[in-house]
Structure formats: C-alpha cells, structure tokens
Amino acid sequence: MEIVNDGHTLLLSGDFDVRSTMDVRSAIHEAMSAYDDDVVIDLTEVHAIDLTAARVLAYATLEASRAGHHLRLRGCGPAVRRMLHLTRLARFVEVDRAAASA
C-alpha cells in the first residue's frame, strides 16, 4: 500500500488490507489535523480491500464528523463499493457518485 498526501487528498494505491490499516489511519489523522476543510481519500488505485480496511474508513468518517470535519471517499472501484455494501458500512461513509473506471 502506498499513501501519498496531496494537500486535502490522500491518494491510496495497492491492496488496502489489515497490513496497511495503521499507516492509513495515521495518514487520515494527520490530514485531519492539518486541514479544517474536507479531507478526501482517493481510492482509484486500490484494487482490493478487506473488512478491516473498510472498517477503518467507516470509523474514520464517524470520528471526522464528531470532530467537525468532513471525510469523503473518491474513486471507489467495484471491489471497494462491493465490500462497503456487503459489510453494510456504506451507510457510514460518503462516497462520491462518480465511480472509478473498472
């Protein structure tokens, strides 16, 4: 998993699974501390996601909301969307309507 901080956007690439959740969680907290506006997590280059990673995104969204921040997911491909829906975590995250190309 590679994480690139591009201002208000975190660009993730690779497989987002239990091995990378701590790094992603830290990057999200750093981004929220640095910016008072929206923080966007771009998942366009994420090819696979597991349950633990989906939970990290849902929990980060709830924590952001409680802290007065706004967290959005962008570029969710079919695998990410499927995992969010199968786990019923889609109701906790805000996903941009424009889907990533498959």
Side-chain angles (χ1 to χ4, degrees):
M1 162 72 40
E2 183 178 347
I3 305 166
V4 176
N5 187 333
D6 185 20
H8 295 268
T9 303
L10 293 176
L11 304 164
L12 307 184
S13 60
D15 292 337
F16 187 10
D17 56 25
V18 70
R19 296 171 297 181
S20 55
T21 56
M22 289 302 294
D23 293 336
V24 172
R25 186 178 302 159
S26 295
I28 291 170
H29 286 299
E30 287 175 21
M32 282 199 254
S33 296
Y35 302 104
D36 291 329
D37 298 350
D38 290 359
V39 173
V40 177
I41 301 175
D42 189 320
L43 301 165
T44 303
E45 296 298 320
V46 171
H47 307 293
I49 185 171
D50 69 6
L51 176 60
T52 304
R55 285 181 177 164
V56 165
L57 295 174
Y59 186 73
T61 301
L62 291 174
E63 286 297 307
S65 178
R66 290 179 184 151
H69 296 283
H70 191 236
L71 185 72
R72 291 184 297 124
L73 305 181
R74 178 174 65 198
C76 294
V80 174
R81 287 180 183 272
R82 186 172 30 258
M83 179 59 75
L84 290 173
H85 287 289
L86 287 173
T87 59
R88 297 191 171 138
L89 293 172
R91 61 186 165 174
F92 297 106
V93 296
E94 181 180 338
V95 178
D96 283 353
R97 291 201 183 273
S101 49

